[in-house]
Amino acid sequence: VQSNLGKLYLQMKDFPKAIDNLRQALYMNPYSVDDHVSLAHAYMSVNERKLAKEELEIALGFVPDNEKIKSMLNSIKASEKKK
């Protein structure tokens, strides 16, 4: 339930509620790659790049060959280098 609510709030651009619900979902199921990636999206939307990076690294630990996650992570790392 929390996972679906979190994704719905993410679509509605209510990022604080998305973050809250996705964190609750991950508390109940810390192995959900999809929820880690969704939470990373929510964190990026509120400019919390460090937290987004952490979530993507966790997700990548579960699916190390996932090109989409690698690309997102590389994008964050590239933006950090520009600072």
Side-chain angles (χ1 to χ4, degrees):
V1 173
Q2 302 315 121
S3 176
N4 290 335
L5 275 174
K7 291 172 190 160
L8 180 63
Y9 284 126
L10 187 58
Q11 289 178 344
M12 295 169 54
K13 299 187 187 315
D14 189 339
F15 303 117
K17 286 184 181 177
I19 290 168
D20 184 50
N21 280 277
L22 289 164
R23 288 178 71 192
Q24 288 179 42
L26 284 165
Y27 177 78
M28 292 182 272
N29 179 13
Y31 305 105
S32 173
V33 172
D34 192 41
D35 287 344
H36 282 290
V37 172
S38 294
L39 184 53
H41 279 291
Y43 280 141
M44 289 181 356
S45 297
V46 295
N47 208 27
E48 290 286 353
R49 294 191 180 280
K50 181 180 178 195
L51 294 173
K53 182 179 167 185
E54 290 173 7
E55 292 302 322
L56 292 172
E57 288 171 343
I58 292 168
L60 198 58
F62 294 124
V63 286
D65 295 328
N66 187 301
E67 293 302 321
K68 181 180 176 184
I69 296 172
K70 285 181 184 179
S71 176
M72 291 173 64
L73 195 51
N74 287 335
S75 175
I76 291 173
K77 288 178 180 178
S79 71
E80 289 175 341
K81 289 180 182 177
K82 292 179 183 178
K83 290 184 178 180

